[in-house]
Amino acid sequence: MTKQIWLNLPVKDVAKAKDFFWKIGFSFNEQHDTPSSTCMVVGESHFVVMLFEESLFTGFSQNKLTDTQSSSEVLISIDAESTEEVDELAKKVEEAGGTVFSPPAETQGWMYGFGFADLDGHRWNVLFMDFSKLS
């Protein structure tokens, strides 16, 4: 049966995308780097997000790319350990050239988070969930 899952994302420029994610705190398994792809590692479980040059990605998917300026295909959600970490990451995203489309705020009385778009327009959601406030 399935042992792992990973996410593949198209990017215009692998080096720029890698630099952006590095600046906001993600790490990479550089053993899997090629000139047209890189292997980003997310979280304690080392979830893999492969960043592929757009032309290579479309060859795999055999489909046209979504225009991330006008539509979304996926919202990638990651957790944070505190409200402070949410705020820090939002600042890092802006400093690295990303777009915060939903500034840090509390929602539903027990979650605190923000939304951002990376350099290629992929949308990410960062949440701190305080389950002690859940009623």
Side-chain angles (χ1 to χ4, degrees):
M1 189 58 193
T2 302
K3 296 180 212 170
Q4 292 183 350
I5 183 171
W6 61 91
L7 180 67
N8 299 316
L9 290 176
V11 298
K12 289 177 181 30
D13 185 310
V14 172
K16 286 182 181 178
K18 184 176 181 179
D19 184 59
F20 169 79
F21 285 109
W22 185 262
K23 285 178 179 175
I24 69 170
F26 288 91
S27 59
F28 293 84
N29 180 346
E30 294 181 339
Q31 293 176 326
H32 297 289
D33 277 9
T34 73
S36 55
S37 67
T38 190
C39 178
M40 185 166 67
V41 181
V42 181
E44 293 172 0
S45 63
H46 302 285
F47 185 86
V48 171
V49 178
M50 292 297 298
L51 305 176
F52 288 103
E53 193 174 90
E54 288 180 343
S55 60
L56 186 57
F57 183 91
T58 56
F60 295 152
S61 69
Q62 298 185 11
N63 207 354
K64 68 180 183 172
L65 297 176
T66 296
D67 176 3
T68 58
Q69 299 304 310
S70 63
S71 64
S72 297
E73 184 175 56
V74 65
L75 176 64
I76 305 158
S77 296
I78 57 176
D79 69 336
E81 293 185 21
S82 66
T83 58
E84 294 81 13
E85 186 178 41
V86 170
D87 292 338
E88 289 171 19
L89 189 54
K91 184 177 177 182
K92 286 180 181 179
V93 164
E94 288 182 326
E95 290 171 352
T99 302
V100 173
F101 63 81
S102 180
E106 187 174 297
T107 181
Q108 300 181 24
W110 63 281
M111 292 186 289
Y112 184 81
F114 82 103
F116 75 92
D118 63 28
L119 300 181
D120 292 280
H122 304 296
R123 292 191 169 230
W124 297 73
N125 182 42
V126 181
L127 288 173
F128 168 67
M129 296 173 278
D130 187 347
F131 291 104
S132 70
K133 293 182 178 179
L134 193 62
S135 43

